[in-house]
Amino acid sequence: MQQLNLPAYDYKLKNSAGTSLIFDAIRRKYVTLTPEEWVRQHFINYLIAYLHYPKSLLAVERGTTYNQLAKRTDLCVYGTHGRPVMLVECKAAQVPISAATVKQASLYNQQVKARYVVLTNGLEHYCWEVDFVTRQYLPLSQIPLFTALENNS
């Protein structure tokens, strides 16, 4: 797998029936190792180990509905109050973060209603704070610590 612009960590890999698997600490099981999953697992580790996000408040591939279509969010961070505070959309490293990617995440967030939206392909990371009154996405220079999310929600 490609080296990412995220801190390295001691991930767990195994093979099963010729398929590479990586351990997902949130779902507590091995999942198929795809380029997108590689990014997601590194980003999860970054949130927990470096930005102090509680593992218990992260949800992977939670279902949501948009225009009567079932969709799955890559990663959702919940506040201690139980409501989503951050939506994270992960792409494989070779997939550029484009206007279409931003649109996809913002459409998902219309249902989730998280105050922060993050897009990452493991090489580039973008974070916005959502102003629901003006319907604007305000770019942030960095991804906030979990304590900042809690203080602003």
Side-chain angles (χ1 to χ4, degrees):
M1 288 286 157
Q2 183 171 348
Q3 184 160 350
L4 304 174
N5 183 20
L6 289 164
Y9 76 103
D10 288 331
Y11 49 83
K12 297 176 188 172
L13 297 177
K14 75 176 188 177
N15 282 309
S16 177
T19 300
S20 294
L21 305 171
I22 188 168
F23 187 74
D24 180 336
I26 305 303
R27 293 178 276 186
R28 292 185 227 138
K29 66 179 184 176
Y30 282 89
V31 296
T32 302
L33 177 59
T34 63
E36 183 177 310
E37 194 63 48
W38 179 250
V39 170
R40 179 174 25 222
Q41 293 306 315
H42 276 77
F43 199 79
I44 288 170
N45 177 72
Y46 175 65
L47 290 177
I48 295 168
Y50 293 87
L51 299 181
H52 313 292
Y53 285 55
K55 185 171 30 172
S56 62
L57 297 178
L58 302 180
V60 175
E61 292 195 336
R62 278 283 162 91
T64 188
T65 305
Y66 178 75
N67 279 346
Q68 300 174 339
L69 297 173
K71 300 288 183 182
R72 291 188 175 270
T73 58
D74 285 333
L75 181 62
C76 191
V77 179
Y78 290 84
T80 54
H81 47 66
R83 291 186 308 272
V85 291
M86 180 181 283
L87 174 68
V88 180
E89 182 66 26
C90 300
K91 297 294 180 190
Q94 70 271 17
V95 176
I97 304 296
S98 65
T101 313
V102 174
K103 182 177 181 182
Q104 175 190 9
S106 64
L107 290 175
Y108 285 3
N109 199 44
Q110 287 179 12
Q111 293 301 116
V112 175
K113 295 184 179 10
R115 183 167 180 166
Y116 298 90
V117 175
V118 174
L119 294 176
T120 182
N121 63 5
L123 303 173
E124 297 178 294
H125 322 288
Y126 298 96
C127 183
W128 294 270
E129 184 173 3
V130 181
D131 183 330
F132 289 103
V133 174
T134 63
R135 295 184 175 189
Q136 290 186 317
Y137 278 61
L138 310 167
L140 301 178
S141 60
Q142 60 190 19
I143 298 164
L145 293 169
F146 184 75
T147 52
L149 295 185
E150 281 292 282
N151 293 335
N152 291 332
S153 57

